[in-house]
Amino acid sequence: MSTYLISDLHLDEGRPDITRAFFDFLRGPAAGAEALYILGDFFEAWIGDDDDAPLIDEVVRELSHYTDTGVELYLMHGNRDFLLGTDFAQRVGAVLLQDPTALSLAGHQALLMHGDSLCTLDEEYMAFRRQARDSNWQQALLAKPLEERRAIAAQIRAASKAMNSRKAEDIMDVTPEEVERVMREHNVDTLIHGHTHRPGRHNLDVDGTPAERIVLGDWDRFGWCLKAGKDSLELIHWPIG
């Protein structure tokens, strides 16, 4: 059986085509998989496990059916859904992963990350990331009424879009030195992440040892996944719609 890794679906009620594509993926290529890893930004925004939006119920129903078939499901926080909690994970039969998480995959020692922490040149974003990961800040936000949290999430998305429009492309990409540092720290030869929306495979040299960085694509015009077999890693994409 194969293992699949995806990220950056940005599920949102305004993008029903992406939701349908994801459900088709669960029922099609990923059916009968050994495991599915979702490496962050599964949702465009997450305002708390008590969100009562219809989309959430749809996703819970589909993922519950999926894990009931015996597939192991793993979720990692992204920069959009950093408030995903244990209640949601339990409802869908998933395990929440730490970022980063090291594991053995297709004969490689791999490190799974969302990828935002690798963009160290984006100092403005890194400051927000530190704030958003602070437990006191999160608790204060989750204590607010749902409608207020929805408004705050919309404000954060609008501010992020405005900030990114002013930034150079290289600032929003990963910092090579940080990539090498985390791979060296965790003693891995393969790094798998999303976040940047720049899918591809990059050969590296870490302290004289061949290594690879694999970037998962965001789901927009195409769906993207990494398929891991017994001894192979295949980055796959297909048209949506």
Side-chain angles (χ1 to χ4, degrees), residues 47-48 50 141-154:
I47 60 172
D50 57 341
L141 179 58
L142 290 172
K144 299 180 184 297
L146 272 175
E147 287 307 314
E148 185 175 352
R149 277 181 267 157
R150 287 193 177 98
I152 291 171

Side-chain angles (χ1 to χ4, degrees), residues 180-198:
E180 291 189 17
R181 187 194 69 78
V182 297
M183 295 186 73
R184 184 182 301 114
E185 176 184 345
H186 293 275
N187 193 29
V188 297
D189 57 64
T190 304
L191 172 62
I192 302 167
H193 70 85
H195 178 65
T196 64
H197 298 191
R198 301 176 184 187

Side-chain angles (χ1 to χ4, degrees), residues 3 37 101-111 228:
T3 291
Y37 290 82
T101 287
L103 77 167
S104 187
L105 190 68
H108 297 270
Q109 291 304 308
L111 190 66

Side-chain angles (χ1 to χ4, degrees), residues 69-221:
T69 67
V71 181
E72 297 176 3
L73 177 63
Y74 299 93
L75 300 173
M76 182 177 285
H77 293 119
N79 55 292
R80 298 282 188 173
D81 50 14
F82 52 85
L83 290 175
L84 270 175
T86 55
D87 286 350
F88 176 79
Q90 289 172 358
R91 288 171 68 193
V92 301
V95 174
L96 285 176
L97 288 181
Q98 293 294 316
D99 182 0
T101 287
L103 77 167
S104 187
L105 190 68
H108 297 270
Q109 291 304 308
L111 190 66
L112 309 183
M113 305 180 71
H114 175 58
D116 57 328
S117 64
L118 299 169
C119 303
T120 57
L121 293 180
D122 191 346
E123 296 179 358
E124 194 172 26
Y125 170 71
M126 295 303 288
F128 169 76
R129 188 181 191 279
R130 287 190 292 273
Q131 178 191 55
R133 298 305 192 277
D134 179 80
S135 60
N136 292 329
W137 185 88
Q138 291 186 0
Q139 290 171 12
L141 179 58
L142 290 172
K144 299 180 184 297
L146 272 175
E147 287 307 314
E148 185 175 352
R149 277 181 267 157
R150 287 193 177 98
I152 291 171
Q155 292 170 1
I156 291 174
R157 290 200 303 273
S160 175
K161 186 175 181 179
M163 285 189 299
N164 289 344
S165 69
R166 302 192 303 267
K167 294 174 183 175
E169 285 293 312
D170 60 331
I171 288 178
M172 294 187 290
D173 203 354
V174 300
T175 306
E177 293 80 7
E178 181 66 8
V179 168
E180 291 189 17
R181 187 194 69 78
V182 297
M183 295 186 73
R184 184 182 301 114
E185 176 184 345
H186 293 275
N187 193 29
V188 297
D189 57 64
T190 304
L191 172 62
I192 302 167
H193 70 85
H195 178 65
T196 64
H197 298 191
R198 301 176 184 187
R201 304 184 69 159
H202 307 271
N203 293 322
L204 306 173
D205 183 293
V206 179
D207 298 335
T209 301
E212 185 177 24
R213 178 170 69 94
I214 303 175
V215 187
L216 302 171
D218 61 306
W219 288 40
D220 188 8
R221 293 189 304 113

